[in-house]
Amino acid sequence: MDRLDREILGILQQDARISYRDLGVRVGLSANAAADRVRRMRRDGVIRGFTVLVDPAADGGGGLVVFIDVTLRPDATNESFEAAAARLPGITEVVHVTGAHDYLVRARAADPAALDALLRRLKGEAGVAQSQTRIALRAATRPPLPPA
């Protein structure tokens, strides 16, 4: 990846629906050259998909978006946790992280009771020893990737 790829990624993070023509104009490439770079990054796994991010305040109160810091039990493996988490309803992202916790889990729950059920299942079925949950109040825009 070079500086131009990083610039393209930053623009796509802000607006994944931008046309290749407009993307090319913003980075100084033709529409075809911009499209080729995006296709290459998708093929190479740099871009793994496109996501719709919904502001919790904008969806009419249709549930909670939560971030759960997870610490695994000593007998749990990363592989077993990731497999178990993938089977649990409401989990939208699982990220292995550094620091005090092992994973950061992003999830959606209909209400506090559904969140409680999800947390109980994480502890009972996925090998979680400890969790700390934060509730999203609203979404903020993501900054573009810094230049290389």
Side-chain angles (χ1 to χ4, degrees), residues 60-120:
L64 305 171
V65 174
V66 298
F67 298 92
I68 308 165
D69 292 312
V70 166
T71 302
L72 300 181
R73 291 191 311 249
D75 63 319
T77 65
N78 292 352
E79 293 78 14
S80 66
F81 170 75
E82 291 169 13
R87 292 188 299 268
L88 293 176
I91 293 181
T92 57
E93 188 173 18
V94 175
V95 181
H96 190 220
V97 295
T98 62
H101 303 284
D102 298 312
Y103 285 89
L104 174 63
V105 175
R106 181 186 180 126
R108 193 165 188 104
D111 53 37
L115 175 57
D116 180 56
L118 175 61
L119 292 171
R120 288 174 184 270

Side-chain angles (χ1 to χ4, degrees), residues 35-79:
D36 287 344
R37 283 181 175 256
V38 171
R39 280 192 285 275
R40 179 182 43 76
M41 286 188 282
R42 288 188 74 190
R43 184 186 64 241
D44 293 346
V46 174
I47 298 173
R48 294 185 298 175
F50 297 92
T51 304
V52 175
L53 299 176
V54 178
D55 186 334
D59 75 356
L64 305 171
V65 174
V66 298
F67 298 92
I68 308 165
D69 292 312
V70 166
T71 302
L72 300 181
R73 291 191 311 249
D75 63 319
T77 65
N78 292 352
E79 293 78 14

Side-chain angles (χ1 to χ4, degrees), residues 1-10 37 40-42 44-47 145-146 148:
M1 273 193 18
D2 62 12
R3 178 198 57 79
L4 215 46
D5 288 339
R6 284 183 190 46
E7 190 173 345
I8 288 169
L9 288 174
R37 283 181 175 256
R40 179 182 43 76
M41 286 188 282
R42 288 188 74 190
D44 293 346
V46 174
I47 298 173
L145 292 175

Side-chain angles (χ1 to χ4, degrees), residues 11-12 15-26 31 34-35:
I11 292 167
L12 289 174
D15 181 7
R17 293 178 47 115
I18 191 170
S19 70
Y20 290 131
R21 181 182 58 79
D22 291 342
L23 179 61
V25 166
R26 294 207 25 209

